Amino acid sequence: MSEDTDDRHDGNASGDGGSTMPPAGDVPPSGAGATRRRLMLGAAAASTVVTIRPALAATVGSVMNCEVPVPDPRLGAGKWIDGRGQLVDAGTAGSFRPPNRPLKAEDIRKAMQGANFPGADYETSRAYMAYIRKLQNGMSGFTCYQSLQMPRA
């Protein structure tokens, strides 16, 4: 680039004639310019904290709104769940009919602490939890269940 076309170092980074900040990449002078730069960086950091906290709160809220289908509709349509959480043919002795709708995160969280799922007895709830614990990456509900296991700050 020739010198007659390079206007990068004219003291006007924005081209509006009013900026006194050095162009990006230049080291600011010590004194007022350095102080101004530190203040701008501090303001940016504070704004980042304010922006991230609501996002984390929204994430916690969305985790509690997720659902886990039992069983995964792609893998177990028409199947029931035995006491060990395995999918078996409908009507197999010792197996449990799947719930009519996906299990809600809040109900799963409570069941992880020993409560029964709504409308299910103790044995059925334990079978559903055994199935949920066996979920693997790529199965419906896996991400929801994993997020329930994450510690909350």
Side-chain angles (χ1 to χ4, degrees), residues 69-136:
V70 177
D72 183 331
R74 295 173 297 161
L75 304 174
K79 299 283 189 177
W80 287 18
I81 296 96
D82 72 7
R84 296 169 295 147
Q86 301 291 326
L87 297 179
V88 296
D89 291 329
T92 301
S95 65
F96 304 93
R97 179 185 307 271
N100 294 331
R101 59 182 172 264
L103 300 172
K104 296 181 187 309
E106 182 64 26
D107 296 330
I108 295 169
R109 187 186 62 76
K110 290 176 183 175
M112 289 168 62
Q113 298 170 352
N116 291 339
F117 287 105
D121 62 12
Y122 177 81
E123 293 299 321
T124 304
S125 294
R126 299 295 66 88
Y128 293 169
M129 277 309 300
Y131 172 82
I132 292 169
R133 283 189 190 99
K134 292 178 186 225
L135 289 173
Q136 297 178 3

Side-chain angles (χ1 to χ4, degrees), residues 5 7 21 23 37 43 49 58 89 103 111 117 126-127 130 133 140:
T5 61
D7 62 347
M21 290 297 296
R37 189 161 189 82
V49 169
D89 291 329
L103 300 172
F117 287 105
R126 299 295 66 88
R133 283 189 190 99
S140 293

Side-chain angles (χ1 to χ4, degrees), residues 3-39:
E3 234 174 79
D4 57 335
T5 61
D6 186 4
D7 62 347
R8 213 174 45 148
H9 295 287
D10 66 356
N12 183 2
S14 65
D16 64 1
S19 175
T20 58
M21 290 297 296
D26 285 358
V27 177
S30 60
T35 302
R36 188 176 317 126
R37 189 161 189 82
R38 280 193 291 267
L39 287 172

